[in-house]
Structure formats: structure tokens, C-alpha cells
């Protein structure tokens, strides 16, 4: 996607390249950029194709019969009145559960394309509002690497990307929250400002009723933007950016109040003994801090995140200041301040997310990796920004052209190695998913046949992948969600055992 002017030349003294040595032609740059972007795009296509092996499990055994019998309104009401209070979460769950197995098989494709498109648009608009232009394909390269690293560098890709119930709450949610900035970045004139404010207000309410953790991240980022507006935004854009941020915070607050005062949220707190007082107790805060430090140890030692930095370096090397940037610029180029703000927002929101999830999960927060995603998107975006500033510094350092080429080649190699490093475990996961799908389909047909023959009960064999919960886990000790499986197949009950061959 091209952003701004149609050439690769620089337009001011700050962003002027050295002219010694033959410059790379615009066509060659575009071809190389698009060629490199094809690697993460190919990985995303592969991951989406593997989504055909996804089958219901865990909570979805309970969602499917509810939506079948009472429609999407039924599950929205169940979420609000009984389960957790998340109205918009129930809506998104109902949209895919309305098409039982097909909804699960297509979820990866639909959500993957949606997240890539939103991050692509966000990257392109951030470049434009920062007064930068980049060759065609650069924004796509950055967005595809962001998407790939965010989805597949996690310790449990299945729960991050393929499990719809977790994805809508913790993977899709932060992307939707980030996308709420698109009207702000595209704003032109008074009507555009009003539209941007209305959008972020509605998005805030939507987010508050979708995911508590994503709401916490949004509040931290928006609150920091208000407090540090003088150091983040240009003077011309500062007033509107602050108003927009405050409006977004108000929307999140309204949605959160609606959620926490719902009967479902009260039930959930009672079920997990997670009252606010215990959440804020000194012992809980200290334990949450220790757990967050251990989570950071895992995140900071995951080498595949280097691909996000490398993509950012390429972005910084290729981007140039637009000749028409002038007063329209929203984001000034203050690398240290912007990165410091991003780092503080990431650490603060990550710790707060751990605090609010600790009462429900306890020390299992360390193995409930899906709850990390709400703040890990911010981490990936921060890494890309750091890489972009580094690439820009190299380009403006007036070093010999071969040095710049070497940095670009190294960054491209890191991107390629990262994609390969993500593809190998994804391929193994695909094999596991395919094997489970075959077993699941055979058992599905057996249980349907038993129900059609008038049987009241049937044996069920646990069939798990990537630590997903199944009825009769732990050698039959864990019954949940056996009752929901029986409802799904119109049986009175299912029992722990194996079907006849």
C-alpha cells in the first residue's frame, strides 16, 4: 500500500540520502519489499488453511447447544445474566457458534484476514500522519510481520489463534481496540472529528463489554496519552488528540461499569472468590508482580519477536518525509519519548492485566498464555516502532551506502528466519489438529448415530489438542463439560469410555 508521494526520493534536508553510489530503483525496491512481505503472508495463509481442522472443545461444547436452541440473543443473555457480563463477547461468540463446526473451521480465515487488514490500514495511516511516505508494499510488510509474530510467537498458538472463544476475548479484542484509532488518523474537517469521537466512544463501550484485560490496556494507553500529550502530539493536533483519548476512556468506563454491575459478573466473582478487596490485597499484588516478571522472562527470551524489530528497521530505512507533511503531522518524531511512553504503557498494562486475572486463575496465569495477548500486541507494536527509529537513524547517519545495504539485508534475513522459525511449530500443530479432527469427526458421527437410534447415553473419549479441556480429563476425574456434550447430541448423558471400533 503506497502512502503519500509516488517516488522514493527525499524531500528535506533531514531525510536526504547520500548520493554516492547508484541508488536502488523504485521498481526494484517495490519488488523486494513485496517479495519479502510474501513470506509472512504465506505463513498467515498456511495458518488460515490449517484452520479447517478446528473442531469444538472446552467452553464451546456449552455455547453450541445454547445458540442452537435460543439463537444469538440466547447466548448474549446467558453471558450478561449468568456467566460473566460480557455482552459483546457473547455477540461475537454467537456469530461463529451459529454455524457450529463450519464456524470453527472458518474462524481462523475470517479473523486472520480481519486482523491483517486492520493492522495494515493502521500502519499506513500512522505513516501518513507522521508525515512519512514509503514504497508500495512497505506498510503491508510491517503489518504482516506484526500479525504473524503476534499470532504465532506465543507459547500456545492454538489458544491464541484457533480457539475462537479465547481469540475473540484476548486476540481479536486488542486489534479492534487499536483499529479504533483509524478515524482519528484519517480525520479531515469538523465532521471528521465528530465521526472520530463517536467511533472511539462506541468502540470504548464495545471494548468494556468484551474484555476486561483489553480495556485495561486501552485505559493505560489513552490515559498516558492525555497526561503526556505535550510530548507525544504536535501542537496543532494536541487538543483534538486529548479530546479523542478522553472520549475513548469515557466509553471504556461506561462499558466496564455495565459489565461489573451485571448479574453475570457478580456470579463470576463469587465463583472465583474474586472480590475487589482480595484482588487489591498486598499479597495478591505482590504475587501478581512475581508472576508478571516470570511472564516477561518468557516473552523477552522468545527470539521470534526479533522479526518485529527487523520489519521496523526496514520501515525506517525505506520511509521518507513527505513534501506536504507540514502542519498536518499528528505524531512528531521524538524517538526516545515515544518509546519510553510505549515501554511504560506496556509494563503497566501488563502488570495490571496480571492483577485482574490472578484471582480467577491463580498461579495458572503463567500457563494461561491467551490472557497475555491483550498487552502483547502493544509489545509487538513497540518493537516495530523501535526498529523503525533505528532504521531511520541508520539512514540519516550518512554512513556509506554499503553499510545501509548491509543493515537492510540483515533485517530482511531476520524476517525470513523468523517466518521459518514460526512455520515449523505451526506445521507440527497442524498435524496434531488434523489428527484430532479425524478422531473428532468419527466420534461425532458415532454419537449422532447413537442419538438417532434412541439411545439415552453413549461413551465419550476425551480428544484434546494443545492442552484444551475436554470431558473426562485427568483420566476421567474432570467431568466438565460432559453435560454440554450430551446436550449437543441430544443425549441424557455421556460416559467416560471408548466407542466400539
Amino acid at each position: 500500500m503506497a502512502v503519500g508521494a509516488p517516488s522514493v526520493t527525499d524531500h528535506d534536508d533531514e531525510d536526504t540520502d547520500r548520493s554516492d553510489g547508484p541508488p536502488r530503483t523504485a521498481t526494484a525496491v517495490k519488488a523486494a519489499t513485496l517479495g519479502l512481505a510474501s513470506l509472512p503472508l504465506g505463513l498467515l495463509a498456511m495458518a488460515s488453511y490449517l484452520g479447517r481442522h478446528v473442531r469444538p472443545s472446552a467452553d464451546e461444547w456449552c455455547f453450541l447447544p445454547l445458540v442452537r436452541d435460543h439463537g444469538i440473543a440466547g447466548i448474549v443473555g446467558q453471558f450478561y445474566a449468568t456467566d460473566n457480563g460480557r455482552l459483546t463477547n457473547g455477540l461475537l461468540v454467537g456469530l461463529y457458534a451459529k454455524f457450529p463446526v463450519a464456524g470453527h473451521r472458518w474462524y481462523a480465515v475470517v479473523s486472520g484476514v480481519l486482523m491483517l487488514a486492520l493492522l495494515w490500514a493502521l500502519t499506513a495511516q500512522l505513516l501518513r500522519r507522521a508525515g512519512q511516505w514509503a514504497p508500495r508494499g512497505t506498510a503491508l510488510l510491517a503489518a504482516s510481520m506484526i500479525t504473524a509474530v503476534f499470532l504465532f510467537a506465543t507459547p500456545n498458538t492454538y489458544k491464541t489463534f484457533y480457539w475462537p472463544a479465547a481469540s475473540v476475548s484476548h486476540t481479536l479484542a486488542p486489534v479492534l481496540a487499536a483499529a479504533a484509532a483509524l478515524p482519528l488518523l484519517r480525520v479531515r474537517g469538523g465532521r471528521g472529528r465528530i465521526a472520530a469521537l463517536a467511533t472511539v466512544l462506541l468502540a470504548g463501550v464495545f471494548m468494556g463489554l468484551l474484555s476486561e484485560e483489553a480495556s485495561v490496556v486501552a485505559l493505560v494507553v489513552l490515559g498516558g496519552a492525555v497526561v503526556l500529550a505535550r510530548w507525544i502530539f504536535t501542537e496543532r493536533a494536541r487538543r483534538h488528540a486529548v479530546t479523542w483519548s478522553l472520549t475513548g476512556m469515557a466509553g471504556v468506563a461506561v462499558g466496564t461499569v455495565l459489565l461489573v454491575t451485571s448479574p453475570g459478573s457478580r456470579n463470576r466473582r463469587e465463583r472465583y472468590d474474586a472480590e475487589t478487596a482480595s484482588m487489591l490485597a498486598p499479597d495478591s499484588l505482590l504475587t501478581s508482580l512475581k508472576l508478571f516478571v516470570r511472564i516477561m522472562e518468557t516473552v523477552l527470551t522468545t527470539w521470534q519477536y526479533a522479526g518485529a524489530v527487523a520489519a521496523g528497521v526496514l520501515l525506517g530505512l525505506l520511509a521518507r518525509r513527505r513534501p506536504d507533511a507540514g502542519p498536518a503531522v499528528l505524531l512528531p518524531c521524538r524517538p526516545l519519548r515515544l518509546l519510553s511512553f510505549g515501554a511504560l504503557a506496556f509494563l503497566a498494562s501488563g502488570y495490571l492485566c496480571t492483577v485482574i486475572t490472578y484471582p480467577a486463575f491463580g498461579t495458572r496465569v503463567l500457563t494461561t498464555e491467551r490472557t497475555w495477548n491483550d498487552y502483547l500486541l502493544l509489545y509487538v507494536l513497540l518493537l516495530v516502532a523501535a526498529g523503525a527509529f533505528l532504521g531511520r537513524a541508520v539512514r540519516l547517519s550518512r554512513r556509506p551506502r554499503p553499510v545501509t545495504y548491509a543493515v537492510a539485508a540483515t533485517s530482511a534475513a531476520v524476517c525470513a528466519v523468523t517466518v521459518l522459525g514460526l512455520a515449523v511449530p505451526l506445521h507440527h500443530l497442524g498435524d496434531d489438529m488434523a489428527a484430532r479432527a479425524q478422531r473428532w469427526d468419527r466420534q461425532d458421527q458415532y454419537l449422532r448415530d447413537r442419538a438417532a437410534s434412541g439411545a439415552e447415553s453413549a461413551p465419550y473419549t476425551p480428544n484434546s489438542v494443545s492442552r484444551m479441556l475436554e470431558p473426562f480429563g485427568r483420566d476421567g476425574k474432570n467431568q466438565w463439560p460432559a453435560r454440554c456434550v450430551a446436550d449437543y447430541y441430544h443425549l441424557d448423558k455421556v460416559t467416560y469410555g471408548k466407542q466400539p471400533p
Side-chain angles (χ1 to χ4, degrees):
M1 177 181 292
V3 182
S7 70
V8 293
T9 57
D10 298 310
H11 303 286
D12 60 12
D13 293 337
E14 182 188 31
D15 281 2
T16 300
D17 276 340
R18 291 176 60 91
S19 59
D20 50 332
R24 184 183 296 268
T25 65
T27 301
V29 171
K30 291 177 183 177
T33 303
L34 290 171
L36 187 59
S38 68
L39 297 180
L41 289 174
L43 182 67
L44 291 168
M46 169 187 168
S48 298
Y49 181 69
L50 293 176
R52 73 190 193 280
H53 299 310
V54 177
R55 300 293 187 272
S57 58
D59 307 65
E60 287 148 355
W61 281 121
C62 298
F63 298 158
L64 294 180
L66 179 60
V67 174
R68 178 195 64 205
D69 297 338
H70 303 286
I72 295 176
I75 195 168
V76 171
Q78 174 85 6
F79 271 42
Y80 180 76
T82 305
D83 290 349
N84 49 39
R86 300 170 185 164
L87 279 171
T88 52
N89 193 323
L91 173 63
L92 294 180
V93 168
L95 289 176
Y96 73 80
K98 187 68 176 177
F99 310 94
V101 176
H104 288 74
R105 296 180 65 178
W106 281 95
Y107 180 83
V109 175
V110 174
S111 65
V113 170
L114 177 61
M115 286 187 280
L116 174 62
L118 292 176
L119 291 171
W120 185 9
L122 186 64
T123 304
Q125 291 304 316
L126 282 171
L127 280 172
R128 185 181 70 84
R129 291 312 299 265
Q132 299 292 304
W133 167 86
R136 186 177 302 276
T138 307
L140 177 60
L141 169 62
S144 57
M145 282 300 299
I146 291 170
T147 309
V149 171
F150 175 54
L151 295 178
F152 309 129
T154 170
N156 196 323
T157 291
Y158 189 91
K159 291 186 177 182
T160 292
F161 184 51
Y162 291 112
W163 185 21
S167 175
V168 297
S169 301
H170 304 293
T171 306
L172 186 60
V175 177
L176 294 176
L182 285 172
L184 171 69
L185 298 173
R186 293 183 58 86
V187 67
R188 290 183 180 180
R191 290 184 178 180
R193 292 188 179 92
I194 293 174
L197 293 176
T199 300
V200 76
L201 178 64
L202 294 176
V205 176
F206 185 93
M207 198 57 51
L209 291 166
L210 173 63
S211 169
E212 296 94 330
E213 293 83 3
S215 297
V216 165
V217 177
L219 288 173
V220 170
V221 173
L222 294 175
V226 171
V227 174
L228 304 175
R230 181 179 178 183
W231 291 273
I232 297 175
F233 304 106
T234 58
E235 183 177 357
R236 181 183 178 90
R238 189 176 304 147
R239 180 177 178 181
H240 178 56
V242 169
T243 302
W244 182 88
S245 298
L246 289 172
T247 304
M249 293 176 68
V252 173
V254 169
T256 301
V257 169
L258 291 175
L259 186 149
V260 299
T261 58
S262 68
S265 180
R266 290 196 297 270
N267 289 341
R268 188 171 189 267
R269 290 195 298 271
E270 292 172 359
R271 186 163 63 249
Y272 289 111
D273 191 26
E275 295 295 340
T276 303
S278 64
M279 181 190 303
L280 300 179
D283 287 346
S284 295
L285 294 175
L286 181 58
T287 303
S288 297
L289 178 59
K290 293 178 180 178
L291 292 171
F292 180 62
V293 169
R294 293 181 62 183
I295 292 172
M296 286 298 95
E297 290 176 357
T298 299
V299 171
L300 296 177
T301 55
T302 301
W303 68 267
Q304 288 91 341
Y305 286 113
V309 180
V313 171
L314 291 171
L315 184 64
L317 289 173
L318 294 172
R320 300 290 187 274
R321 183 173 177 82
R322 288 167 40 217
D324 60 341
V329 174
L330 171 66
L331 301 171
C333 188
R334 295 168 177 166
L336 185 58
R337 291 180 180 180
L338 289 174
L339 293 178
S340 298
F341 166 67
L344 289 174
F346 164 64
L347 293 174
S349 60
Y351 171 61
L352 290 175
C353 285
T354 307
V355 169
I356 66 175
T357 53
Y358 173 70
F361 295 102
T363 57
R364 289 185 295 113
V365 168
L366 291 175
T367 56
T368 313
E369 299 93 349
R370 65 183 184 275
T371 62
W372 308 357
N373 298 326
D374 297 278
Y375 52 89
L376 283 185
L377 177 63
L378 180 59
Y379 176 61
V380 176
L381 294 176
L382 179 64
L383 292 179
V384 174
F389 287 130
L390 178 60
R392 179 176 178 273
V394 171
R395 178 169 54 79
L396 298 179
S397 64
R398 305 289 181 175
R399 295 183 181 277
R401 196 172 295 274
V403 174
T404 303
Y405 290 164
V407 172
T410 302
S411 299
V414 171
C415 288
V417 172
T418 297
V419 171
L420 178 62
L422 296 173
V424 172
L426 181 61
H427 174 72
H428 294 323
L429 175 60
D431 291 341
D432 293 341
M433 291 164 56
R436 177 181 187 260
Q438 292 178 357
R439 296 192 301 268
W440 195 97
D441 290 342
R442 288 196 299 268
Q443 180 159 256
D444 175 69
Q445 188 60 53
Y446 171 78
L447 293 173
R448 290 183 184 279
D449 291 343
R450 290 281 294 172
S453 68
E456 296 181 352
S457 66
Y460 181 90
T461 303
N463 188 17
S464 183
V465 62
S466 293
R467 307 200 316 269
M468 291 295 297
L469 292 178
E470 276 282 288
F472 312 114
R474 295 188 300 164
D475 296 325
K477 297 178 182 177
N478 187 4
Q479 298 290 313
W480 186 87
R483 177 66 262 170
C484 296
V485 174
D487 288 344
Y488 180 71
Y489 289 107
H490 300 287
L491 296 167
D492 289 341
K493 66 177 181 178
V494 291
T495 57
Y496 180 43
K498 294 185 177 180
Q499 298 83 33

